[in-house]
Amino acid sequence: MLEDTKVRARPSWLLLGPAFVAAIAYVDPGNVAANVSAGAQYGFLLVWVIVVANVMAGLVQYLSAKLGLVTGRSLPEAVADHTRTPTRVAFWLQAELVAMATDLAEVVGGAIALYLLFDLPLLVGGLITGVVSLLLLAVQNRRGQRVFERVITGLLMVIAIGFLTSLFVKTPPAAAVADGLIPRFDGAESILLATAMLGATVMPHAVYLHSGLARDRHGHAEGPRLRMLLRVTRFDVGLAMLVAGAVNMAMLLVAATNLQGRGDTDSIEGAHAAVSDALGPTVALLFAIGLLASGLASTSVGAYAGAMIMQGLLKKSYPLLLRRLVTLVPALLVLAIGVDPSRALVLSQVVLSFGIPFALIPLVRLTSDKALMGGDANHRVTTAFGWGVAGLISVLNVVLIYLTVNG
């Protein structure tokens, strides 16, 4: 009875936050590149991908948070608990490759934003983005997770304003949006973009991270407190995914409404210029600010996730600076050698999509294990849907490889 009173004494809204940190992964610069490319090239054709990916992401993020709350273990720790050392190391290596692709998207996106805003060279912008991400991580280390959550949530709001504003300047036609909800493709390039959009929305590092965020914020709960935390987590995930989904949808709809058919929108810089021409310099400025906030927030969250993955799978803690350099250096090399940054962003999201099954399969398996989860193990319907998500993504990737090799 006393525990029930303590549970009710604390307003549920004060417990929100972990899902908003994880949601940053769903509005990173890779999303901007993939969604703007999809809208500019195919109009409203791939609207349905945004909806499907967001529904999948909501389920996946809730399962990850539930694992952390019920077991007191992050997903990387739980994977390590159930695998032998060679398997653990191999699992970490693929996760590290995915982390490098993640950082590539985020650092390159931040560099492009700084170029658009201040005309800084891309390499200089990449270095600044990396340094700022370290400063944001220092906030988490020194001030704690709640302060970090507030900073990241604030940046999420900046991102939302930056991209949603342009949607209201020129409203997309409702009939075309509704038609885009019908699942279909139009050639190999549309499948490539759909896979990139999926990789940009259901992010592997966010799947790993959320379990640790929920555990570190709320602890290993039991009884009435666990029941309450699971209810709050469902609301936390739903609200965060609603914000992230709205931002992703806005990116695609704005591109489909204003940029379709233009020949200069195959890069973020070109898309920014096209937005300026179509909607005015103020909207273009907000677009660039949203992109910058996206790059700064997502690269710090990605580095946070990478540290959690490395520590959980290798069972050893590494200095933050070393961990940051492991994934930052490849991104800076891409900028230094002059690879087309926007194309690199889209392809990085494809790499991410290949890492999704390695995160989803253990997650679904572990959260379905009654011996591990007890009465909070997944319902059979939830388990079936989880396996369906992993299977759909895997099939898309096989098709993508076939089309790429034979294209």
Side-chain angles (χ1 to χ4, degrees), residues 220-244:
H220 179 198
E222 296 179 348
R225 176 171 172 76
L226 176 59
R227 305 272 76 74
M228 182 272 293
L229 287 175
L230 289 175
R231 287 195 302 271
V232 171
T233 296
R234 284 192 288 270
F235 182 71
D236 192 26
V237 170
L239 190 58
M241 289 299 102
L242 181 63
V243 173

PDB file of all heavy atoms in Angstrom, residues 220-244:
ATOM      1  N   HIS A 220      15.787  -0.702 -12.057  1.00  0.00           N
ATOM      2  CA  HIS A 220      15.151  -2.010 -12.245  1.00  0.00           C
ATOM      3  C   HIS A 220      13.929  -2.063 -11.332  1.00  0.00           C
ATOM      4  O   HIS A 220      14.043  -2.245 -10.127  1.00  0.00           O
ATOM      5  CB  HIS A 220      16.147  -3.125 -11.909  1.00  0.00           C
ATOM      6  CG  HIS A 220      15.579  -4.499 -12.052  1.00  0.00           C
ATOM      7  ND1 HIS A 220      16.153  -5.608 -11.472  1.00  0.00           N
ATOM      8  CD2 HIS A 220      14.478  -4.951 -12.700  1.00  0.00           C
ATOM      9  CE1 HIS A 220      15.443  -6.686 -11.769  1.00  0.00           C
ATOM     10  NE2 HIS A 220      14.423  -6.299 -12.505  1.00  0.00           N
ATOM     11  N   ALA A 221      12.753  -1.867 -11.891  1.00  0.00           N
ATOM     12  CA  ALA A 221      11.523  -1.730 -11.099  1.00  0.00           C
ATOM     13  C   ALA A 221      10.804  -3.063 -10.958  1.00  0.00           C
ATOM     14  O   ALA A 221      10.978  -3.985 -11.768  1.00  0.00           O
ATOM     15  CB  ALA A 221      10.600  -0.700 -11.738  1.00  0.00           C
ATOM     16  N   GLU A 222       9.972  -3.140  -9.945  1.00  0.00           N
ATOM     17  CA  GLU A 222       9.136  -4.324  -9.727  1.00  0.00           C
ATOM     18  C   GLU A 222       7.774  -3.881  -9.214  1.00  0.00           C
ATOM     19  O   GLU A 222       7.585  -2.743  -8.777  1.00  0.00           O
ATOM     20  CB  GLU A 222       9.792  -5.273  -8.713  1.00  0.00           C
ATOM     21  CG  GLU A 222      11.118  -5.872  -9.176  1.00  0.00           C
ATOM     22  CD  GLU A 222      11.721  -6.791  -8.116  1.00  0.00           C
ATOM     23  OE1 GLU A 222      11.230  -6.767  -6.972  1.00  0.00           O
ATOM     24  OE2 GLU A 222      12.681  -7.527  -8.439  1.00  0.00           O
ATOM     25  N   GLY A 223       6.808  -4.803  -9.263  1.00  0.00           N
ATOM     26  CA  GLY A 223       5.496  -4.580  -8.662  1.00  0.00           C
ATOM     27  C   GLY A 223       4.753  -3.402  -9.264  1.00  0.00           C
ATOM     28  O   GLY A 223       4.840  -3.115 -10.464  1.00  0.00           O
ATOM     29  N   PRO A 224       4.007  -2.667  -8.413  1.00  0.00           N
ATOM     30  CA  PRO A 224       3.189  -1.542  -8.902  1.00  0.00           C
ATOM     31  C   PRO A 224       4.004  -0.461  -9.612  1.00  0.00           C
ATOM     32  O   PRO A 224       3.526   0.145 -10.568  1.00  0.00           O
ATOM     33  CB  PRO A 224       2.539  -0.993  -7.624  1.00  0.00           C
ATOM     34  CG  PRO A 224       2.530  -2.152  -6.677  1.00  0.00           C
ATOM     35  CD  PRO A 224       3.776  -2.925  -6.974  1.00  0.00           C
ATOM     36  N   ARG A 225       5.219  -0.226  -9.143  1.00  0.00           N
ATOM     37  CA  ARG A 225       6.037   0.802  -9.794  1.00  0.00           C
ATOM     38  C   ARG A 225       6.379   0.377 -11.228  1.00  0.00           C
ATOM     39  O   ARG A 225       6.350   1.218 -12.143  1.00  0.00           O
ATOM     40  CB  ARG A 225       7.320   1.041  -9.002  1.00  0.00           C
ATOM     41  CG  ARG A 225       8.259   2.032  -9.695  1.00  0.00           C
ATOM     42  CD  ARG A 225       9.425   2.440  -8.825  1.00  0.00           C
ATOM     43  NE  ARG A 225      10.387   3.240  -9.575  1.00  0.00           N
ATOM     44  CZ  ARG A 225      10.247   4.513  -9.909  1.00  0.00           C
ATOM     45  NH1 ARG A 225       9.157   5.158  -9.545  1.00  0.00           N
ATOM     46  NH2 ARG A 225      11.173   5.141 -10.588  1.00  0.00           N
ATOM     47  N   LEU A 226       6.672  -0.890 -11.439  1.00  0.00           N
ATOM     48  CA  LEU A 226       6.954  -1.362 -12.789  1.00  0.00           C
ATOM     49  C   LEU A 226       5.733  -1.201 -13.688  1.00  0.00           C
ATOM     50  O   LEU A 226       5.845  -0.768 -14.833  1.00  0.00           O
ATOM     51  CB  LEU A 226       7.386  -2.827 -12.761  1.00  0.00           C
ATOM     52  CG  LEU A 226       7.633  -3.491 -14.125  1.00  0.00           C
ATOM     53  CD1 LEU A 226       8.715  -2.750 -14.903  1.00  0.00           C
ATOM     54  CD2 LEU A 226       8.008  -4.957 -13.955  1.00  0.00           C
ATOM     55  N   ARG A 227       4.546  -1.528 -13.158  1.00  0.00           N
ATOM     56  CA  ARG A 227       3.317  -1.382 -13.954  1.00  0.00           C
ATOM     57  C   ARG A 227       3.140   0.083 -14.380  1.00  0.00           C
ATOM     58  O   ARG A 227       2.798   0.376 -15.517  1.00  0.00           O
ATOM     59  CB  ARG A 227       2.088  -1.813 -13.134  1.00  0.00           C
ATOM     60  CG  ARG A 227       2.142  -3.219 -12.555  1.00  0.00           C
ATOM     61  CD  ARG A 227       1.595  -4.235 -13.540  1.00  0.00           C
ATOM     62  NE  ARG A 227       2.512  -4.537 -14.624  1.00  0.00           N
ATOM     63  CZ  ARG A 227       3.616  -5.281 -14.487  1.00  0.00           C
ATOM     64  NH1 ARG A 227       3.934  -5.791 -13.313  1.00  0.00           N
ATOM     65  NH2 ARG A 227       4.400  -5.516 -15.506  1.00  0.00           N
ATOM     66  N   MET A 228       3.379   0.988 -13.432  1.00  0.00           N
ATOM     67  CA  MET A 228       3.229   2.411 -13.733  1.00  0.00           C
ATOM     68  C   MET A 228       4.269   2.878 -14.750  1.00  0.00           C
ATOM     69  O   MET A 228       3.953   3.606 -15.699  1.00  0.00           O
ATOM     70  CB  MET A 228       3.350   3.221 -12.445  1.00  0.00           C
ATOM     71  CG  MET A 228       3.163   4.732 -12.610  1.00  0.00           C
ATOM     72  SD  MET A 228       4.705   5.601 -13.011  1.00  0.00           S
ATOM     73  CE  MET A 228       5.621   5.376 -11.489  1.00  0.00           C
ATOM     74  N   LEU A 229       5.515   2.427 -14.589  1.00  0.00           N
ATOM     75  CA  LEU A 229       6.573   2.843 -15.498  1.00  0.00           C
ATOM     76  C   LEU A 229       6.331   2.326 -16.910  1.00  0.00           C
ATOM     77  O   LEU A 229       6.626   3.025 -17.893  1.00  0.00           O
ATOM     78  CB  LEU A 229       7.931   2.364 -14.985  1.00  0.00           C
ATOM     79  CG  LEU A 229       8.490   3.102 -13.769  1.00  0.00           C
ATOM     80  CD1 LEU A 229       9.782   2.447 -13.300  1.00  0.00           C
ATOM     81  CD2 LEU A 229       8.715   4.576 -14.072  1.00  0.00           C
ATOM     82  N   LEU A 230       5.802   1.130 -17.043  1.00  0.00           N
ATOM     83  CA  LEU A 230       5.507   0.602 -18.377  1.00  0.00           C
ATOM     84  C   LEU A 230       4.395   1.413 -19.046  1.00  0.00           C
ATOM     85  O   LEU A 230       4.444   1.672 -20.253  1.00  0.00           O
ATOM     86  CB  LEU A 230       5.116  -0.873 -18.288  1.00  0.00           C
ATOM     87  CG  LEU A 230       6.261  -1.838 -17.935  1.00  0.00           C
ATOM     88  CD1 LEU A 230       5.725  -3.254 -17.749  1.00  0.00           C
ATOM     89  CD2 LEU A 230       7.343  -1.819 -19.012  1.00  0.00           C
ATOM     90  N   ARG A 231       3.392   1.834 -18.258  1.00  0.00           N
ATOM     91  CA  ARG A 231       2.317   2.689 -18.816  1.00  0.00           C
ATOM     92  C   ARG A 231       2.888   4.032 -19.261  1.00  0.00           C
ATOM     93  O   ARG A 231       2.589   4.511 -20.367  1.00  0.00           O
ATOM     94  CB  ARG A 231       1.218   2.915 -17.778  1.00  0.00           C
ATOM     95  CG  ARG A 231       0.336   1.711 -17.506  1.00  0.00           C
ATOM     96  CD  ARG A 231      -0.926   2.111 -16.770  1.00  0.00           C
ATOM     97  NE  ARG A 231      -0.639   2.780 -15.510  1.00  0.00           N
ATOM     98  CZ  ARG A 231      -0.484   2.154 -14.349  1.00  0.00           C
ATOM     99  NH1 ARG A 231      -0.574   0.828 -14.290  1.00  0.00           N
ATOM    100  NH2 ARG A 231      -0.237   2.831 -13.241  1.00  0.00           N
ATOM    101  N   VAL A 232       3.715   4.635 -18.417  1.00  0.00           N
ATOM    102  CA  VAL A 232       4.312   5.926 -18.758  1.00  0.00           C
ATOM    103  C   VAL A 232       5.219   5.790 -19.980  1.00  0.00           C
ATOM    104  O   VAL A 232       5.241   6.666 -20.860  1.00  0.00           O
ATOM    105  CB  VAL A 232       5.100   6.489 -17.556  1.00  0.00           C
ATOM    106  CG1 VAL A 232       5.911   7.711 -17.963  1.00  0.00           C
ATOM    107  CG2 VAL A 232       4.161   6.850 -16.421  1.00  0.00           C
ATOM    108  N   THR A 233       5.948   4.681 -20.055  1.00  0.00           N
ATOM    109  CA  THR A 233       6.855   4.459 -21.185  1.00  0.00           C
ATOM    110  C   THR A 233       6.085   4.356 -22.493  1.00  0.00           C
ATOM    111  O   THR A 233       6.531   4.867 -23.532  1.00  0.00           O
ATOM    112  CB  THR A 233       7.693   3.191 -20.947  1.00  0.00           C
ATOM    113  OG1 THR A 233       8.526   3.395 -19.799  1.00  0.00           O
ATOM    114  CG2 THR A 233       8.577   2.884 -22.153  1.00  0.00           C
ATOM    115  N   ARG A 234       4.931   3.699 -22.478  1.00  0.00           N
ATOM    116  CA  ARG A 234       4.115   3.633 -23.700  1.00  0.00           C
ATOM    117  C   ARG A 234       3.721   5.032 -24.154  1.00  0.00           C
ATOM    118  O   ARG A 234       3.757   5.351 -25.352  1.00  0.00           O
ATOM    119  CB  ARG A 234       2.871   2.765 -23.457  1.00  0.00           C
ATOM    120  CG  ARG A 234       3.160   1.268 -23.440  1.00  0.00           C
ATOM    121  CD  ARG A 234       1.890   0.451 -23.501  1.00  0.00           C
ATOM    122  NE  ARG A 234       1.135   0.511 -22.260  1.00  0.00           N
ATOM    123  CZ  ARG A 234       1.291  -0.333 -21.248  1.00  0.00           C
ATOM    124  NH1 ARG A 234       2.188  -1.316 -21.330  1.00  0.00           N
ATOM    125  NH2 ARG A 234       0.556  -0.221 -20.157  1.00  0.00           N
ATOM    126  N   PHE A 235       3.345   5.878 -23.201  1.00  0.00           N
ATOM    127  CA  PHE A 235       2.977   7.253 -23.537  1.00  0.00           C
ATOM    128  C   PHE A 235       4.198   8.038 -24.004  1.00  0.00           C
ATOM    129  O   PHE A 235       4.127   8.802 -24.980  1.00  0.00           O
ATOM    130  CB  PHE A 235       2.348   7.924 -22.317  1.00  0.00           C
ATOM    131  CG  PHE A 235       1.891   9.329 -22.569  1.00  0.00           C
ATOM    132  CD1 PHE A 235       0.785   9.592 -23.360  1.00  0.00           C
ATOM    133  CD2 PHE A 235       2.579  10.408 -22.017  1.00  0.00           C
ATOM    134  CE1 PHE A 235       0.364  10.890 -23.602  1.00  0.00           C
ATOM    135  CE2 PHE A 235       2.164  11.710 -22.249  1.00  0.00           C
ATOM    136  CZ  PHE A 235       1.049  11.950 -23.049  1.00  0.00           C
ATOM    137  N   ASP A 236       5.319   7.849 -23.324  1.00  0.00           N
ATOM    138  CA  ASP A 236       6.573   8.524 -23.676  1.00  0.00           C
ATOM    139  C   ASP A 236       6.977   8.181 -25.115  1.00  0.00           C
ATOM    140  O   ASP A 236       7.278   9.070 -25.926  1.00  0.00           O
ATOM    141  CB  ASP A 236       7.658   8.070 -22.692  1.00  0.00           C
ATOM    142  CG  ASP A 236       8.931   8.905 -22.771  1.00  0.00           C
ATOM    143  OD1 ASP A 236       8.856  10.076 -23.178  1.00  0.00           O
ATOM    144  OD2 ASP A 236       9.997   8.382 -22.397  1.00  0.00           O
ATOM    145  N   VAL A 237       6.950   6.891 -25.438  1.00  0.00           N
ATOM    146  CA  VAL A 237       7.317   6.438 -26.789  1.00  0.00           C
ATOM    147  C   VAL A 237       6.326   6.962 -27.821  1.00  0.00           C
ATOM    148  O   VAL A 237       6.714   7.457 -28.887  1.00  0.00           O
ATOM    149  CB  VAL A 237       7.392   4.901 -26.837  1.00  0.00           C
ATOM    150  CG1 VAL A 237       7.525   4.409 -28.281  1.00  0.00           C
ATOM    151  CG2 VAL A 237       8.555   4.400 -25.999  1.00  0.00           C
ATOM    152  N   GLY A 238       5.026   6.863 -27.507  1.00  0.00           N
ATOM    153  CA  GLY A 238       4.011   7.324 -28.452  1.00  0.00           C
ATOM    154  C   GLY A 238       4.148   8.798 -28.776  1.00  0.00           C
ATOM    155  O   GLY A 238       4.072   9.205 -29.950  1.00  0.00           O
ATOM    156  N   LEU A 239       4.363   9.614 -27.749  1.00  0.00           N
ATOM    157  CA  LEU A 239       4.490  11.058 -27.959  1.00  0.00           C
ATOM    158  C   LEU A 239       5.763  11.394 -28.724  1.00  0.00           C
ATOM    159  O   LEU A 239       5.753  12.216 -29.661  1.00  0.00           O
ATOM    160  CB  LEU A 239       4.483  11.769 -26.599  1.00  0.00           C
ATOM    161  CG  LEU A 239       4.378  13.298 -26.601  1.00  0.00           C
ATOM    162  CD1 LEU A 239       3.120  13.750 -27.323  1.00  0.00           C
ATOM    163  CD2 LEU A 239       4.397  13.828 -25.169  1.00  0.00           C
ATOM    164  N   ALA A 240       6.868  10.753 -28.359  1.00  0.00           N
ATOM    165  CA  ALA A 240       8.140  11.021 -29.039  1.00  0.00           C
ATOM    166  C   ALA A 240       8.087  10.596 -30.499  1.00  0.00           C
ATOM    167  O   ALA A 240       8.572  11.312 -31.387  1.00  0.00           O
ATOM    168  CB  ALA A 240       9.280  10.297 -28.315  1.00  0.00           C
ATOM    169  N   MET A 241       7.481   9.441 -30.768  1.00  0.00           N
ATOM    170  CA  MET A 241       7.376   8.968 -32.150  1.00  0.00           C
ATOM    171  C   MET A 241       6.414   9.834 -32.970  1.00  0.00           C
ATOM    172  O   MET A 241       6.586   9.992 -34.180  1.00  0.00           O
ATOM    173  CB  MET A 241       6.912   7.517 -32.181  1.00  0.00           C
ATOM    174  CG  MET A 241       7.930   6.506 -31.698  1.00  0.00           C
ATOM    175  SD  MET A 241       9.461   6.496 -32.691  1.00  0.00           S
ATOM    176  CE  MET A 241      10.558   7.413 -31.620  1.00  0.00           C
ATOM    177  N   LEU A 242       5.408  10.403 -32.306  1.00  0.00           N
ATOM    178  CA  LEU A 242       4.497  11.316 -32.993  1.00  0.00           C
ATOM    179  C   LEU A 242       5.244  12.552 -33.470  1.00  0.00           C
ATOM    180  O   LEU A 242       5.076  12.999 -34.628  1.00  0.00           O
ATOM    181  CB  LEU A 242       3.354  11.716 -32.059  1.00  0.00           C
ATOM    182  CG  LEU A 242       2.297  12.670 -32.654  1.00  0.00           C
ATOM    183  CD1 LEU A 242       1.575  11.997 -33.820  1.00  0.00           C
ATOM    184  CD2 LEU A 242       1.300  13.093 -31.572  1.00  0.00           C
ATOM    185  N   VAL A 243       6.091  13.103 -32.608  1.00  0.00           N
ATOM    186  CA  VAL A 243       6.889  14.275 -32.993  1.00  0.00           C
ATOM    187  C   VAL A 243       7.858  13.919 -34.114  1.00  0.00           C
ATOM    188  O   VAL A 243       7.946  14.614 -35.136  1.00  0.00           O
ATOM    189  CB  VAL A 243       7.655  14.827 -31.770  1.00  0.00           C
ATOM    190  CG1 VAL A 243       8.617  15.940 -32.204  1.00  0.00           C
ATOM    191  CG2 VAL A 243       6.690  15.346 -30.712  1.00  0.00           C
ATOM    192  N   ALA A 244       8.590  12.812 -33.946  1.00  0.00           N
ATOM    193  CA  ALA A 244       9.563  12.412 -34.962  1.00  0.00           C
ATOM    194  C   ALA A 244       8.875  12.086 -36.286  1.00  0.00           C
ATOM    195  O   ALA A 244       9.369  12.462 -37.361  1.00  0.00           O
ATOM    196  CB  ALA A 244      10.358  11.200 -34.465  1.00  0.00           C
TER     197      ALA A 244
END
